[in-house]
């Protein structure tokens, strides 16, 4: 009997192993079938979406032209517009254009590769992405404010100390802090551009200029990181510059409150909400816009002002002929001044 | 009759508009059904894959323990290993673990958001990603070599000129070029880490240390970008540093040739190839490895050597007590030297 027990265990284990092998093989066949169905169905859907959207565009254009000379076309235009509404998201499946293979935003094909696919077919997933995006912006805004405020305070303290010429100024530590902050900003802008591109592919109506704005901001961060941090110009100019991320974080927080409220209203109204309801809910959140718009103008004003100050203090370095083709005496700090001249131009350009 | 024609056109357009509206509505319903089926099927697949893979792991462990005291368990272990082979890619659907929700690599959830989804269900798509990845590395290697070689040559010319003190040295232009090159390297390493993470999620057996390596390289690029480019140390040290990307690009090209050949062999063998065939084909490409390994050792050796040179020339700056808490005279160039000390440490660390 003591020999029987292991034999029994072996037999049952062998039986179980056979079963597991069969189960895994079946699973693989099922997965393959699933894959093939997904491929053929999504290809068919994509094709039909492209066909319908082309036909709609053409017919709608023609009908609108006809309407100008003949009122009876109004019903046709209405009907076609209703169809377009369904295509753009009023139907049960939401925005159908996601099924058509859209061109990948440049930043995604650059960083993730041209055949990467970030379109989520599941509505819950794509909605979660938007929630994540708002959370990311919220968290980042707090980080941005705290980081910039501490540096601002520290650098002011350093200046006061260096005027009275005593005490430990901590200037090198603060300047390294500034560079870490600039690295963080670079990360923030690149991540924003990437996440927004993903949202766009998933049907968000995010504006292209907003994504482009983040490319420019990332470029400006690279420029700031490349400047000689120990140069006198850098130390003078960075103090003013730090006001900008501080105000920007306040704007992001306010804007986020508005966008989030709007999003939750729309989610609550269900994805079958017509475009009219969307327009209506925008009016409902009007109270928030009253805060948002002046803040946005203030931010742009500050940006132009800071850019102007940078240019005013440093344009002389651009006019000098030395230092372009041969290296100059470092004491003139032509390098730092020219860097901030460029940064000032970029600031003003981005405010446009 | 001249009144009939427009009326007829109107009627046919109206009819067509109705048809289009119906078609779009049907399309939306179909898309919704498709979505729901994809969700429920992929959820079911994921659940079953997780269950099977847990059961296999547990049973295999137990069977291996039993095998140590009883030879008759060999057949059971074999059977279970066959099942695991199917799970890991020998079945018709390829690697089944892709269907289980895996944890997102950190860099992806940081830059794309935690709910972004880059897993391609289509085998052709994921294979295309790998082809794209190799193409990206190939293109980048040429860029890296050309960029670094031009800068290397230019900087050497500048040095020769500055010794003889005449002519236009172009040093500032070249130094800006170096910074652009460092920006490009930052992009290259971040893009590599992102693309490799995407490949990993799609079932590639890419090693985690390889991805981590690219994080560190990106960090080193940030450090180099942050150093004062107009400092004498920078100008001296950058010349040596540029040998590293030049050799690296040669290694990348050689490695790519090997990996590509291996990949095409495996694609040609079909996805049903067993693991044995894979091991066999590795032996087939042995000829290439003979070139690759010495090159890799050479690269690591160069990296350690360059790091050592950086450290040797700059460690004195770390020992000085000034400049840590208060800013120092710029002429000592403590900042630049300390930066290159850190860069040297990172170079040696990355060669490990
Ligand atoms: C991301 C953002 C741009 C969304 O923009 P938006 O135009 O408000 O987008 P909407 O909320 O109107 O969404 C439009 C549609 O896309 C859908 N959508 C939005 N995000 C989606 C996603 N990730 N996946 C799938 N669908 C999504 C919405 O559900 C809606 O579809 P519906 O018509 O089926 O309901 C916005 O939330 C945001 O934060 N923007 C920051 C930038 C900005 O606004 N800058 C301006 C001032 S500086
Ligand atoms: C990307 C890379 C790591 C692939 O690594 P690998 O271990 O050779 O991967 P394999 O080619 O063995 O692929 C293993 C499996 O993953 C699959 N796979 C690979 N890439 C895939 C993808 N993008 N999508 C789906 N499956 C993929 C393969 O088809 C194979 O599956 P199979 O068993 O069903 O055939 C390699 O091509 C590469 O270039 N690496 C660069 C880094 C490096 O090698 N560094 C070391 C020295 S410095």
């Amino acid at each position: 009997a003591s020999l029987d027990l292991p034999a029994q265990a072996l037999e049952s284990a062998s039986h179980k192993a056979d079963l597991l092998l069969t189960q895994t093989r079946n699973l693989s066949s099922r997965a393959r079938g699933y894959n093939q169905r997904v491929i053929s169905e999504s290809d068919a859907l994509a094709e039909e979406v492209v066909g319908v959207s082309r036909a709609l565009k053409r017919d709608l254009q023609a009908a609108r032209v006809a309407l100008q000379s003949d009122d009876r076309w109004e019903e046709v235009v209405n009907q076609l517009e209703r169809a377009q509404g369904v295509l753009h998201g009023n139907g049960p499946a939401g925005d159908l254009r996601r099924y058509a293979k859209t061109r990948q935003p440049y930043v995604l094909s650059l960083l993730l590769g041209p055949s990467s696919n970030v379109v989520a077919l599941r509505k819950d997933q794509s909605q979660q992405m938007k929630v994540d995006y708002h959370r990311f912006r919220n968290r980042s805004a707090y980080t941005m404010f705290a980081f910039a405020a501490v540096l601002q305070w520290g650098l002011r303290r350093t200046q006061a100390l260096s005027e009275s010429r005593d005490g430990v100024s901590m200037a090198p530590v603060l300047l390294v802090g500034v560079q870490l902050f600039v690295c963080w900003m670079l990360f923030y802008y690149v991540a924003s551009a990437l996440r927004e591109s993903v949202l766009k592919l998933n049907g968000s109506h995010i504006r292209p200029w907003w994504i482009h704005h983040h490319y420019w901001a990332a470029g400006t961060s690279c420029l700031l990181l490349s400047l000689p941090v120990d140069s006198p110009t850098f130390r003078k100019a960075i103090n003013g510059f730090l006001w900008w991320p501080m105000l920007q974080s306040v704007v992001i927080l306010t804007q986020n409150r508005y966008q989030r409220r709007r999003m939750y209203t729309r989610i609550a109204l269900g994805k079958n909400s017509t475009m009219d309801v969307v327009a209506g809910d925008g009016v409902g959140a009007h109270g928030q816009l009253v805060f948002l718009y002046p803040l946005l103008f203030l931010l742009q004003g500050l940006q132009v002002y800071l850019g102007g100050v940078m240019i005013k203090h440093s344009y002389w370095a651009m006019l000098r002929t030395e230092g372009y083709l041969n290296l100059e005496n470092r004491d003139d700090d032509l390098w730092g001044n020219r860097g901030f001249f460029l940064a000032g131009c970029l600031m003003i350009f981005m405010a446009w």
Side-chain angles (χ1 to χ4, degrees), chain A:
Chain A
S2 75
L3 252 171
D4 254 338
L5 223 59
Q8 251 175 14
L10 176 61
E11 197 177 329
S12 100
S14 164
H15 182 65
K16 222 174 129 196
D18 287 346
L19 279 182
L20 266 176
L21 181 55
T22 316
Q23 192 188 357
T24 321
R25 282 199 179 130
N26 286 344
L27 191 57
S28 190
S29 305
R30 232 176 79 206
R32 185 174 165 79
Y34 166 71
N35 261 4
Q36 283 173 336
R37 252 173 298 130
V38 165
I39 292 176
S40 62
E41 275 194 74
S42 68
D43 281 354
L45 275 174
E47 209 174 306
E48 197 162 344
V49 167
V50 170
V52 164
S53 104
R54 272 212 203 106
L56 268 179
K57 206 173 193 172
R58 197 189 46 218
D59 289 4
L60 198 55
Q61 213 164 9
R64 278 187 183 137
V65 170
L67 178 62
Q68 284 170 357
S69 57
D70 189 346
D71 276 352
R72 291 173 303 169
W73 280 80
E74 187 154 350
E75 185 49 35
V76 175
V77 171
N78 280 347
Q79 202 75 334
L80 289 172
E81 276 174 352
R82 222 164 287 149
Q84 201 169 43
V86 173
L87 191 72
H88 291 186
N90 287 345
D95 198 332
L96 290 175
R97 287 168 298 178
R98 280 184 299 161
Y99 295 92
K101 275 140 200 62
T102 43
R103 219 162 52 87
Q104 183 106 285
Y106 189 58
V107 66
L108 283 181
S109 67
L110 205 62
L111 284 171
L112 289 186
S115 11
S116 70
N117 181 13
V118 292
V119 176
L121 289 174
R122 308 176 56 152
K123 186 85 185 168
D124 57 337
Q125 235 175 38
S126 60
Q127 233 145 30
Q128 184 59 35
M129 279 181 205
K130 209 165 170 184
V131 172
D132 288 339
Y133 172 70
H134 285 301
R135 191 173 295 149
F136 166 73
R137 271 169 69 86
N138 235 34
R139 249 189 300 122
S140 303
Y142 286 117
T143 310
M144 192 186 278
F145 189 87
F147 215 152
V150 167
L151 291 172
Q152 180 78 267
W153 170 80
L155 286 169
R156 278 179 197 279
R157 186 179 154 276
T158 303
Q159 249 168 13
L161 281 179
S162 79
E163 267 154 30
S164 63
R165 280 165 205 289
D166 58 32
V168 176
S169 79
M170 301 290 278
V173 177
L174 285 164
L175 288 175
V176 169
V178 168
Q179 291 197 316
L180 289 177
F181 179 59
V182 174
C183 281
W184 181 85
M185 296 236 291
L186 178 58
F187 152 73
Y188 170 72
Y189 291 125
V190 172
S192 293
L194 279 169
R195 282 170 185 242
E196 283 153 8
S197 304
V198 171
L199 283 182
K200 194 171 169 57
L201 275 181
N202 279 294
S204 169
H205 294 154
I206 202 156
R207 307 294 173 279
W209 64 262
W210 178 245
I211 303 184
H212 286 177
H213 189 269
H214 286 145
Y215 297 158
W216 285 100
T220 309
S221 304
C222 274
L223 172 65
L224 281 180
L225 189 59
S226 79
L227 296 182
V229 70
D230 58 346
S231 91
T233 314
F234 191 93
R235 271 178 292 149
K236 260 179 263 160
I238 204 66
N239 249 342
F241 172 78
L242 284 171
W243 288 119
W244 180 61
M246 281 171 75
L247 183 58
Q248 202 191 5
S249 55
V250 176
V251 172
I252 292 174
L253 285 174
T254 316
Q255 194 192 325
N256 245 15
R257 273 182 70 95
Y258 161 71
Q259 297 265 11
R260 259 176 156 162
R261 187 167 293 197
R262 188 157 168 256
M263 184 180 71
Y264 288 128
T265 314
R266 297 185 63 190
I267 290 178
L269 288 172
K271 51 182 177 291
N272 282 315
S273 63
T274 60
M275 288 303 180
D276 297 349
V277 178
V278 176
D281 108 66
V283 178
H286 221 79
Q288 297 253 348
L289 279 180
V290 173
F291 283 102
L292 188 54
Y293 279 138
L295 257 178
L296 273 172
F297 276 117
L298 198 64
L299 183 66
Q300 286 191 326
L302 181 71
Q303 213 169 334
V304 172
Y305 172 74
L306 290 174
V309 171
M310 287 182 192
I311 290 175
K312 190 183 138 222
H313 282 297
S314 60
Y315 77 96
W316 61 269
M318 303 302 286
L319 303 179
R320 298 268 288 272
T321 52
E322 320 92 278
Y324 281 112
L325 298 178
N326 285 303
L327 269 188
E328 260 326 288
N329 195 333
R330 271 184 107 194
D331 294 334
D332 282 358
D333 203 9
L334 284 172
W335 199 287
N337 277 297
R338 284 173 185 164
F340 270 99
F341 179 83
L342 261 183
C345 293
L346 280 171
M347 289 282 276
I348 291 181
F349 172 76
M350 282 193 292
W352 248 227

